[in-house]
Amino acid sequence: MSLERKDKDKKDNILGTEKISRLLVKFAVPGIVSMVVNALYNIIDQIFIGQGVGYLGNGATTVVFPMTSFAMAFSLLFGDGAAAMFSLRLGENKREDAAKSCLAGITGFVIGGLLIAIGYLLFFPRLCHIFGATEAILPYAIEYGTIITCGLPFFAICAGGSSLIRADGNPRYNMIGLFSGTVINLVCDPLFIFVFHWGVKGAALATILGQFVNAMLNVYYFIHKMSNVELTLALWKKSFSFIPKVARLGVSSFITQMSMVVAIAVRNNILVQYGLNSKYGPDIPITTLGITMKVFAIIISIVIGLSAGAQPIFGYNYGSGRYGRVKECFRLVAVLSTAICILAFLIAQLRPMAVISIFGSESELYNEFAVKCMRIFLMLIPTAGVQIMSGIFFQSLGYPVQASILSLSKQILFQIPATIAIPIFIGVEGVLWAGPVSDILALLLTVILLLIYWRRIFERK
């Protein structure tokens, strides 16, 4: 038996015999770290802008965020799709096809990043209005977003490349790249904002500098450190036919990301529309809810990292008929995810200003609405853990339709209609109540799907 085969058997044996809690530590911690670092990448600018520029600068990051999320969607379309095909072809021992799929993904997300950047630069002011920029926020959004747009090709290489590096079996290198970019952003933000007094422009420059370093580390990996295949110019010329195949495999990630873009666009515009007729005005609501969503993203990143770490445990034990271990892992991940979300709930309810003040403290009206955002929008965040991990659970066991329904339900099926409908009756605060309404409806749908499919999933064939 070859050494490679022995190593595989040993890994499989661990997945089937090791204590579930130890397996979760082994597989989930790297995923959690990567997800949290990626979320912090987005939040660092807001912290320093809030302290050095003010809430209108933070409003600009809220307006620009869905545009970067749109670019992320295309990066994951090709990055996640290429990673899936790369793994499949390696498993079939078709190394040349694996290399072609990798090169097709790189071609897709690099060209996608360039085209999106060009399109944004041509129509940027109009796009800012589409995503909710007010007259006061617009100058900051243009100044910040134009520079961010110039870095989108680097951002695409960071986002799409991360999936391929993990698929090649080197999550540690991926973490190094993410950490490097985040540390550079963290160091340069205060330098550019407080020392050089470059305002939101400085924050944007710090961001794209971090993205450039991360992107160059990814490029170096593709050229010199790929462990399973060699990427050559000759293979690249043959890889173009793989681009549509790669995109088909990545469409689930694309749809999930795009649902967030649509939800943010709707929410921002509703906040501006109803904020105009409230004592808060349009700028405070869009800024403070944007901060709340960034904080919420950190919590969700932990839950997703934990659930993603459970994927191989779910899949291996289900495939080998060890259903008791699958159920045990489900229960443990559900408990841990809920505990994380309960902790976030307690902070949001008991110490909201401790979080808000990190991003700067403005007027009494600003603080008043910011506290409402934290307390109302995150009121039912303890339900989010089970809803998110259940989607990954279904995906791990080969139920993609159910997984997709859960992935899209909260934002598309529930949150957008609630965001449009509730403010009709109670004004701008109705946007905040759309959060707990969509949370409870998404949880009910999750429970219904689990009750319907739980017995079928574990029914021996």
Side-chain angles (χ1 to χ4, degrees):
M1 182 181 288
S2 70
L3 180 61
E4 183 181 353
R5 178 65 181 172
K6 286 181 180 178
D7 288 342
K8 184 178 184 301
D9 287 347
K10 182 180 179 182
K11 181 182 177 182
D12 286 350
N13 185 54
I14 290 173
L15 284 168
T17 60
E18 182 65 87
K19 192 175 180 181
I20 295 294
S21 57
R22 290 178 184 170
L23 285 174
L24 274 178
V25 171
K26 178 180 177 65
F27 285 93
V29 169
I32 291 172
V33 171
S34 294
M35 291 296 297
V36 170
V37 169
N38 203 33
L40 286 173
Y41 219 124
N42 293 321
I43 208 170
I44 288 171
D45 277 359
Q46 261 194 302
I47 293 173
F48 288 109
I49 288 173
Q51 297 290 347
V53 178
Y55 78 100
L56 292 177
N58 264 338
T61 68
T62 301
V63 169
V64 173
F65 180 67
M67 298 189 216
T68 59
S69 296
F70 181 82
M72 171 73 86
F74 276 90
S75 299
L76 296 182
L77 175 69
F78 295 106
D80 283 3
M85 181 172 283
F86 180 82
S87 299
L88 287 169
R89 295 299 176 261
L90 280 182
E92 297 166 358
N93 202 28
K94 297 179 179 178
R95 293 187 178 273
E96 183 173 311
D97 283 355
K100 290 177 184 176
S101 64
C102 184
L103 288 164
I106 294 170
T107 301
F109 59 66
V110 170
I111 292 177
L114 286 168
L115 292 177
I116 291 170
I118 293 169
Y120 282 1
L121 290 173
L122 290 174
F123 304 102
F124 201 79
R126 175 60 182 157
L127 289 169
C128 288
H129 283 296
I130 289 173
F131 288 106
T134 64
E135 290 305 313
I137 289 174
L138 183 61
Y140 295 94
I142 292 175
E143 187 177 13
Y144 177 81
T146 302
I147 296 173
I148 290 293
T149 294
C150 293
L152 285 181
F154 306 132
F155 175 73
I157 296 171
C158 296
S162 291
S163 302
L164 287 169
I165 292 170
R166 289 195 302 269
D168 193 47
N170 208 332
R172 183 175 295 179
Y173 188 95
N174 181 54
M175 263 198 296
I176 290 171
L178 285 169
F179 267 121
S180 299
T182 302
V183 169
I184 288 170
N185 193 17
L186 185 61
V187 171
C188 290
D189 256 334
L191 179 66
F192 292 169
I193 293 174
F194 299 112
V195 178
F196 296 161
H197 304 291
W198 289 347
V200 293
K201 178 174 68 176
L205 288 170
T207 296
I208 67 169
L209 183 59
Q211 290 170 349
F212 173 78
V213 172
N214 190 354
M216 291 306 101
L217 286 170
N218 286 1
V219 170
Y220 178 82
Y221 184 91
F222 294 140
I223 297 172
H224 298 291
K225 295 184 72 68
M226 291 291 291
S227 57
N228 289 289
V229 297
E230 184 180 358
L231 305 181
T232 65
L233 182 60
L235 283 176
W236 176 70
K237 292 177 180 178
K238 300 176 183 178
S239 69
F240 296 108
S241 63
F242 279 67
I243 292 177
K245 302 173 186 176
V246 161
R248 280 197 293 271
L249 287 177
V251 73
S252 176
S253 297
F254 174 81
I255 291 172
T256 300
Q257 194 72 21
M258 282 301 297
S259 69
M260 183 173 69
V261 174
V262 175
I264 293 172
V266 171
R267 186 164 56 239
N268 285 357
N269 281 281
I270 296 294
L271 283 168
V272 171
Q273 177 186 344
Y274 286 92
L276 282 167
N277 299 319
S278 74
K279 65 179 180 179
Y280 303 106
D283 301 313
I284 288 176
I286 195 172
T287 300
T288 52
L289 188 54
I291 290 172
T292 299
M293 292 302 299
K294 293 286 181 68
V295 174
F296 175 71
I298 294 179
I299 305 305
I300 297 308
S301 295
I302 298 173
V303 174
I304 292 174
L306 174 64
S307 304
Q311 273 190 308
I313 306 171
F314 287 141
Y316 174 78
N317 286 284
Y318 184 71
S320 61
R322 295 178 173 93
Y323 298 147
R325 288 175 62 81
V326 177
K327 294 175 182 178
E328 181 186 352
C329 186
F330 180 91
R331 286 192 294 269
L332 182 56
V333 175
V335 169
L336 291 174
S337 298
T338 302
I340 292 165
C341 291
I342 288 174
L343 178 61
F345 165 80
L346 292 174
I347 294 172
Q349 298 303 315
L350 301 178
R351 297 296 302 276
M353 279 305 302
V355 178
I356 294 161
S357 61
I358 295 173
F359 300 89
S361 181
E362 301 288 338
S363 64
E364 286 299 319
L365 276 179
Y366 175 93
N367 293 340
E368 178 185 325
F369 198 83
V371 168
K372 288 183 178 181
C373 285
M374 285 282 172
R375 287 180 171 163
I376 297 174
F377 196 81
L378 301 183
M379 181 181 295
L380 291 181
I381 190 176
T383 67
V386 170
Q387 197 262 341
I388 291 169
M389 64 85 54
S390 294
I392 294 175
F393 170 76
F394 277 118
Q395 186 180 48
S396 303
L397 304 189
Y399 288 78
V401 174
Q402 291 77 11
S404 297
I405 290 172
L406 290 183
S407 296
L408 296 174
S409 63
K410 183 176 176 180
Q411 300 210 63
I412 298 298
L413 297 180
F414 301 135
Q415 194 169 102
I416 289 178
T419 299
I420 295 171
I422 300 176
I424 295 173
F425 303 100
I426 60 175
V428 68
E429 290 182 22
V431 180
L432 309 184
W433 285 101
V437 167
S438 60
D439 282 333
I440 194 64
L441 291 174
L443 178 65
L444 287 173
L445 179 61
T446 301
V447 171
I448 289 169
L449 286 179
L450 286 172
L451 288 174
I452 291 172
Y453 288 99
W454 188 264
R455 183 173 293 181
R456 294 187 207 176
I457 288 171
F458 297 111
E459 196 175 69
R460 292 185 180 272
K461 298 181 180 178

